[in-house]
Amino acid sequence: MDLSVEFAGVRLASCLMNAAGALCVTRDELEALGRARSGAIVTKSMTPALRRGNPDPRYHSFPGGSINSMGLPNLGAPAYAALLPDLRRFGKPVIASVAGLSTAEFLEAARAITAVRPDLVEVNLSCPNIPGKPQIGYDVQASRALLRQLREVVTVPMGVKLPPYFDPVHQDATAAMLREAGVAFVSVINSVGNGLVVDPERECAVIKPKGGFGGLGGAMIKPVALANVRAFWKLFGGRMPILGTGGVVSGADVFEHGLCGASAVQVGTALMDEGVGVFERLERELGEILARKGYRSFEDCRGKLREL
Ligand code: HRO
């Protein structure tokens, strides 16, 4: 089955890849993604300097999903820039995720990584886990101002990683802002921010930072992810490349993202649970579903969701 796709001008041998944050912080993790059957290597969101992140425990997986409050641990943009030539040797596109705790930090990280020309830059507007810092993607004015400045710095195709939206009015306003900003792709969704998972036996939260509040991922968030993929697919008339993220545990989940309009699909919680072998399993399961349904490629099913 042909699972290759054209994404924002970049050819991917497979429509599947890691979600930013999942097993992509260190050189070893990034090289493992290079050797695995992922269509691209996506880096952890990078800031200008190394960050150790929030205190442990900060990640917890449970039946149905995960909660995290990592707090942007990463090696720093200069270190990822230095790694890029080695990552290129795997012969697949590298997508650099860029973040910051201020506009100046976003610009500095973007400048450092753009200098070595990753294939795409994904601007993270949606980290929910920095104490005292709201998710920028929930503030249209702030997002507009930030993207306007990043546009001047990022000279490769630049997309945005958005938080989940729960009302069409927010998707409409965000789409209008992104149109104006001229983004090359939209990645939806980041984790569902500020959830709380409780261990009733120990009578405590399962992660330490922010009193236990953290971003939810995995199977439980799939309907929210699909709704956002579909909403942005329609708002851009099917002409905006969309990276679907959220709740991808099986090949059927990838297929559903495709039906809703995703051009390619990212895997977070399932990758953390299973390791990089997850890509091979998802490929096999997706291939079987597409063949059974009479599709000749993943691209053939894109956006084909029937509305009753
Ligand atoms: O590092 C994190 O805590 C984190 C980030 Cl940056 C993000 O974008 N999404 C998430 O769930 N965790």
Side-chain angles (χ1 to χ4, degrees):
M1 181 59 64
D2 180 9
L3 301 185
S4 70
V5 292
E6 178 80 18
F7 186 82
V10 173
R11 194 79 208 161
L12 305 174
S14 163
C15 61
L16 299 166
M17 68 187 80
N18 66 297
L23 299 185
C24 59
V25 176
T26 64
R27 171 191 279 271
D28 282 355
E29 288 173 340
L30 291 162
E31 289 184 346
L33 288 166
R35 287 187 295 271
R37 291 193 68 86
S38 69
I41 302 173
V42 186
T43 71
K44 172 68 183 171
S45 294
M46 60 189 78
T47 50
L50 178 147
R51 281 176 58 86
R52 302 216 176 272
N54 291 338
D56 288 320
R58 58 189 187 178
Y59 184 88
H60 180 82
S61 172
F62 54 96
S66 67
I67 184 167
N68 88 84
S69 183
M70 307 303 288
L72 267 171
N74 75 96
L75 304 179
Y80 292 111
L83 265 177
L84 203 91
D86 287 348
L87 298 180
R88 283 203 186 293
R89 293 207 188 106
F90 294 102
K92 58 177 83 171
V94 177
I95 304 178
S97 174
V98 167
L101 272 55
S102 63
T103 299
E105 280 201 14
F106 267 99
L107 292 170
E108 194 181 335
R111 233 178 244 116
I113 200 67
T114 299
V116 293
R117 299 196 67 75
D119 295 273
L120 301 171
V121 163
E122 184 183 270
V123 177
N124 186 354
L125 298 179
S126 46
C127 175
N129 298 329
I130 305 299
K133 295 279 177 191
Q135 292 163 83
I136 304 161
Y138 285 134
D139 182 336
V140 178
Q141 306 301 343
S143 298
R144 178 183 290 118
L146 176 62
L147 292 176
R148 197 172 281 155
Q149 295 194 63
L150 281 168
R151 228 345 351 140
E152 303 297 313
V153 168
V154 179
T155 53
V156 300
M158 178 182 93
V160 286
K161 176 79 168 269
L162 299 174
Y165 298 101
F166 299 96
D167 192 287
V169 86
H170 298 139
Q171 288 151 345
D172 294 351
T174 301
M177 178 274 293
L178 294 175
R179 212 170 278 124
E180 195 188 308
V183 299
F185 66 93
V186 168
S187 182
V188 275
I189 56 174
N190 207 319
S191 58
V192 174
N194 298 296
L196 180 61
V197 175
V198 169
D199 179 340
E201 279 311 310
R202 291 164 58 227
E203 302 180 25
C204 65
V206 297
I207 57 171
K208 180 181 172 80
K210 286 177 69 177
F213 286 59
L216 304 173
M220 59 156 62
I221 73 165
K222 187 177 72 172
V224 178
L226 294 178
N228 277 274
V229 168
R230 188 68 180 164
F232 283 103
W233 162 263
K234 291 175 94 167
L235 281 164
F236 287 104
R239 284 183 294 276
M240 175 67 77
I242 295 180
L243 260 175
T245 313
V248 175
V249 179
S250 70
D253 300 323
V254 182
F255 181 55
E256 290 177 24
H257 270 272
L259 289 175
C260 290
S263 291
V265 172
Q266 297 185 333
V267 190
T269 300
L271 171 59
M272 296 291 286
D273 284 344
E274 275 179 63
V276 295
V278 74
F279 296 110
E280 219 173 304
R281 177 177 66 77
L282 292 174
E283 244 184 43
R284 190 179 61 247
E285 292 174 0
L286 175 61
E288 283 166 12
I289 291 169
L290 291 171
R292 176 162 57 78
K293 297 240 158 218
Y295 289 104
R296 278 177 307 187
S297 67
F298 181 65
E299 282 189 334
D300 276 354
C301 79
R302 184 162 64 235
K304 297 265 167 72
L305 185 74
R306 282 194 312 116
E307 296 181 12
L308 304 177

